Amino acid sequence: MNAVLLSGLLGVVMMFASFLFRTKAPVRILAILGMAVLLVANVLDTKGIHFFHVNTTGFLSFTGYALFFNTIVIACTLIFFLISSKDMQKVGNHYAEYFALIFFILTGIFLVTAFTNLLILFIGIEIISIPLYILTGSAKKDLKSNEAALKYFLMGAFSTGVMLMGIALIYGATGTFDITKMNIAGLLKSNLLTAGMLMLLFSMCFKVSIAPFHFWTPDVYDGAPNVFTSFMATIVKVGIFVGFLHLFYTAFDAIALQWKIWMAVLAALTLLVGNITAVFQQSVKRMLAYSSISQAGFMLFALVAMNETAHEGLLLYAIAYCLATIGVFGIISKMTDYSFDGFNGLAGHQPLVALCVAIFMLSLAGIPLSAGFLAKFYMLKAVIQAGGYMWLVIFGVLMAAVSAYYYFRVIQAMYFKEGPNHFSGISAFEKCVLVGICVLIVFTGLFPNIIFGWMYF
Amino acid sequence: MPINYYITLALCLFAIGVVGVLTRRNAIIVFMCIELMLNSVNLLLVAFSKMHHLAKGAAATAGTDGQLFVFFIMVVAAAEVSVGLAIIVMMYRNVHSININFLNRLKH
C-alpha cells in the first residue's frame, strides 16, 4: 500500500513543483529523489513495514509477487529518469507535469498488479491510460505526436469500452466483481461468462499490443516523443502484462481449456507479425516498436503456461526487456537521425556508447550470458513444463532467430560501416548510467538466482 | 421484464457504438460512439444489479456493487472526455480538420 499512496502524493508534489521552481534542475532532482523514496518505501513494504494502514479487503491484495514486481517497475523508472530526464526538456515547457503524470501512471501500475476486484482493474488501467494519452501528445506542435495521441486515445477508449462490456457480462454471470469469489467452475456452460471473458481477453490484448490488435502500436510508438515511447513501451507494457497474467491466473483458470488454445495462437501470430514486419523497417525507432510487439508475443507465453516458472519468467522478462529498451531509447533520444543509417560508424565516434548499444541489442535478441537469454529461456521452459504446446516452443525459437537479424543490423551498422556523426553528445553521468545498465543486464544473465532470492526472502 | 430484453438492448446499443467507431471518419462522432458503448455498459450493469438483488432477495445490499461500478464508469468517462477533447482541439489547431483520415502520415 505504501507505493500506491506515495506515488499518488508524489505526483501532486510534482504538480506544485512546476510553479515553486523557476528552473528545471531542481524539478529533475526532486523527481529523482521522489522515485528513490518510492523505491525505499516499496522495499520496506516488502519487508513488512507499512506506513499506511488501509483496509483493502476484497479490492487489493499485495502479494509478495506483486510487491517484488512493483520494486522492479520503480527501479526501472528510476533508471529511466536518470538516463532520459534531461531529454524530456526538449519535448515541451511543462517539465514538472511530465514527471507528475509518470508518478500517476505508476500508481495505476501498482493497482493493476495487485487488484482482486475487476473495479480496481478498470480504474488501474484507466489511471495508466489517461496520462499516457497526454504524454503521447505532449509535443503539441509536432503533427506526428498529435496524430499518435488521437489514434492512441480513440483506440484506447474503444478497448476500454470493450473491456467494460466484458466486465459487465462477467458480473451478470457470476454476480460479483471479486475475482477470488467468482466460482467459475460452476458456470462452465454460461454464454455470458464466455462472451465476457473473450471481451476482456481482447481488450487486454489491445492494451499490450498483441496481434491482431497491435495495429495502433507502431504508429503511436513512432509518433510519441522518444522519451515517452521509452516509458510506455517498457514499464507500462510489462505492468499491464502482470495484471493480465494475474487476471487470467486467478479468475479464469477453471475454464483454461476454453481459452488456452486461443492464447497460444495469439502468441504465435504476434511473434510472426512482430518479427517479420520488424525486418523491413528502415528506422530504428520503428523497428523497436515492432520488436516490442514480438517481445509481447514472448511474454504471452507466460499466459499459455500459467505455472510458477511462468511467473518467474515474466519477472525476468520485465527486467531484461525494460533495461535493454530503456537503454536503447536513452541513446536514440540523443541522436539526430534514428534510421539504421544514422547508426553508421557510431563505434568510431562513440566507442563506449556503441558498446552499450551492442550489449542492449544482444540482450534483446536473447544471446546467452545476457538477461534477455535467460528471460526467453524461462518462458520456453514454462511452456514445456505446462505441456501440450511443443509447436509453440519450436516456433518461438525460430522467431527468436529471425529477430536476431534486425538486432544485429544495428550492430553491423555501428561497427562495420562508416558514416557522419549523428550523436549529439552525452554527459559523463549518463555514460555511467549506461554502463550501469549493461552491468545489470549481464549480472542478471549470470546470476538470476540472486534476484529470485530477493523475491522469496 | 425479463433480463434478456435488457441484455439485447444493451448489446444493440453497444454494436451501434462499435460500428460507428469503425466506420465514421469524424473524430467527434467516433468519440460519441465510444460514449454510447460506455453507456450501454452502464445500462447493462444496472439491469444485472437489479437481477442479482432480486435473486438473492434477503440481503438488502445484494447487487449494489453493480450500481457502484456505474458511478465509477461515469467519473472515469468524464476524465477521459476532458483529455480526449483536448487532444481533438490540439489536432484541430494544427491541421484545421478533425477528420481521422488525416491519421495516415505516420504510415511511412
Side-chain angles (χ1 to χ4, degrees), chain A residues 117-119 122-123 126 129-130 133-134 137-151 153-162 164-165 167-169 171-177 192 199 215 219-220 222-223 286, chain B residues 7 10-11 14 17-18 21-22 27 30-31 34 37-38 40-41 44-45 48-49 51-52 56 63-69 72-73 76-77 79-81 83-85 87-88 90-91 94-95 98 100 102-108:
Chain A
N117 194 305
L118 291 175
L119 176 63
F122 162 64
I123 290 178
E126 285 304 287
S129 303
I130 295 178
Y133 305 146
I134 306 175
S138 53
K140 287 200 277 186
K141 301 285 176 204
D142 180 7
L143 270 185
K144 283 179 89 175
S145 173
N146 288 346
E147 285 179 15
L150 186 58
K151 196 171 233 175
F153 168 71
L154 292 177
M155 284 296 121
F158 178 69
S159 69
T160 301
V162 176
L164 282 173
M165 195 48 152
I167 292 176
L169 292 178
Y171 175 67
T174 62
T176 174
F177 293 114
L192 279 183
M199 282 183 158
F215 46 86
D219 293 350
V220 171
D222 197 16
R286 223 173 151 77
Chain B
I7 296 179
L11 285 180
F14 189 78
V18 171
V21 170
L22 297 180
V30 170
F31 200 33
I34 290 173
M37 288 164 63
L38 296 186
S40 76
V41 172
L44 191 59
L45 276 173
F48 278 141
S49 167
M51 180 186 88
H52 289 305
K56 282 174 189 159
T64 43
D65 43 355
Q67 294 171 36
L68 276 175
F69 206 113
F72 278 96
I73 295 178
V76 170
E80 214 166 45
V81 167
V83 169
L85 286 181
I87 290 174
I88 293 174
M90 177 178 77
M91 177 92 184
N94 283 326
V95 295
I98 50 169
I100 56 174
F102 271 89
L103 299 181
N104 49 16
R105 217 169 278 110
L106 284 166
K107 287 283 180 213
H108 34 78

Side-chain angles (χ1 to χ4, degrees), chain A residues 109-431:
Chain A
I109 293 178
F110 302 150
L111 291 179
V112 166
T113 52
F115 74 97
T116 58
N117 194 305
L118 291 175
L119 176 63
I120 299 291
L121 173 71
F122 162 64
I123 290 178
I125 293 231
E126 285 304 287
I127 294 178
I128 294 171
S129 303
I130 295 178
L132 268 187
Y133 305 146
I134 306 175
L135 287 181
T136 310
S138 53
K140 287 200 277 186
K141 301 285 176 204
D142 180 7
L143 270 185
K144 283 179 89 175
S145 173
N146 288 346
E147 285 179 15
L150 186 58
K151 196 171 233 175
Y152 192 26
F153 168 71
L154 292 177
M155 284 296 121
F158 178 69
S159 69
T160 301
V162 176
M163 181 167 92
L164 282 173
M165 195 48 152
I167 292 176
L169 292 178
I170 289 171
Y171 175 67
T174 62
T176 174
F177 293 114
D178 193 328
I179 58 172
T180 55
K181 292 186 189 147
M182 275 183 178
N183 187 24
I184 275 175
L187 295 160
L188 278 179
K189 296 273 177 239
S190 165
N191 289 334
L192 279 183
L193 181 71
T194 310
M197 194 241 350
L198 278 181
M199 282 183 158
L200 260 183
L201 173 65
F202 292 159
S203 67
M204 291 305 271
C205 285
F206 248 114
K207 301 280 182 195
V208 292
S209 64
I210 297 293
F213 311 102
H214 69 289
F215 46 86
W216 57 272
T217 320
D219 293 350
V220 171
Y221 286 6
D222 197 16
N226 287 329
V227 275
F228 300 133
T229 311
S230 163
F231 183 69
M232 70 180 162
T234 55
I235 293 158
V236 171
K237 186 174 242 176
V238 295
I240 299 181
F241 239 110
V242 169
F244 195 5
L245 179 64
H246 180 56
L247 173 67
F248 276 77
Y249 189 71
T250 318
F252 303 127
D253 207 25
I255 48 169
L257 278 180
Q258 285 186 16
W259 50 264
K260 247 189 187 166
I261 181 71
W262 292 109
M263 211 63 100
V265 169
L266 285 175
L269 192 64
T270 311
L271 283 172
L272 184 72
V273 172
N275 282 307
I276 300 298
T277 333
V279 166
F280 298 105
Q281 298 307 313
Q282 294 310 314
S283 138
V284 175
K285 193 180 177 189
R286 223 173 151 77
M287 179 275 276
L288 283 170
Y290 281 104
S291 115
S292 94
I293 296 175
S294 73
Q295 306 275 4
F298 264 110
M299 286 190 252
L300 201 61
F301 276 35
L303 279 113
V304 180
M306 284 283 171
N307 49 23
E308 202 52 41
T309 321
H311 279 82
E312 288 176 359
L314 194 60
L315 278 180
L316 264 184
Y317 219 106
I319 299 173
Y321 171 65
C322 284
L323 286 179
T325 311
I326 286 174
V328 177
F329 270 107
I331 289 160
I332 285 185
S333 50
K334 291 174 177 53
M335 306 218 19
T336 45
D337 172 8
Y338 32 82
S339 64
F340 278 98
D341 294 335
F343 279 79
N344 282 353
L346 190 66
H349 309 294
Q350 296 276 353
L352 183 69
V353 172
L355 179 67
C356 290
V357 176
I359 292 178
F360 299 148
M361 289 296 169
L362 291 176
S363 177
L364 283 173
I367 302 299
L369 291 190
S370 66
F373 167 73
L374 260 184
K376 285 201 171 68
F377 173 76
Y378 263 79
M379 286 301 181
L380 297 175
K381 185 178 149 199
V383 176
I384 292 175
Q385 276 181 355
Y389 291 98
M390 207 56 202
W391 60 270
L392 185 62
V393 176
I394 296 169
F395 189 72
V397 174
L398 279 179
M399 282 299 141
V402 172
S403 77
Y405 168 76
Y406 52 84
Y407 292 127
F408 276 66
R409 229 174 116 193
V410 178
I411 301 179
Q412 184 207 18
M414 289 189 305
Y415 281 94
F416 301 113
K417 286 183 181 166
E418 292 301 321
N421 191 3
H422 290 291
F423 197 74
S424 61
I426 181 168
S427 70
F429 176 70
E430 284 162 337
K431 268 186 188 167

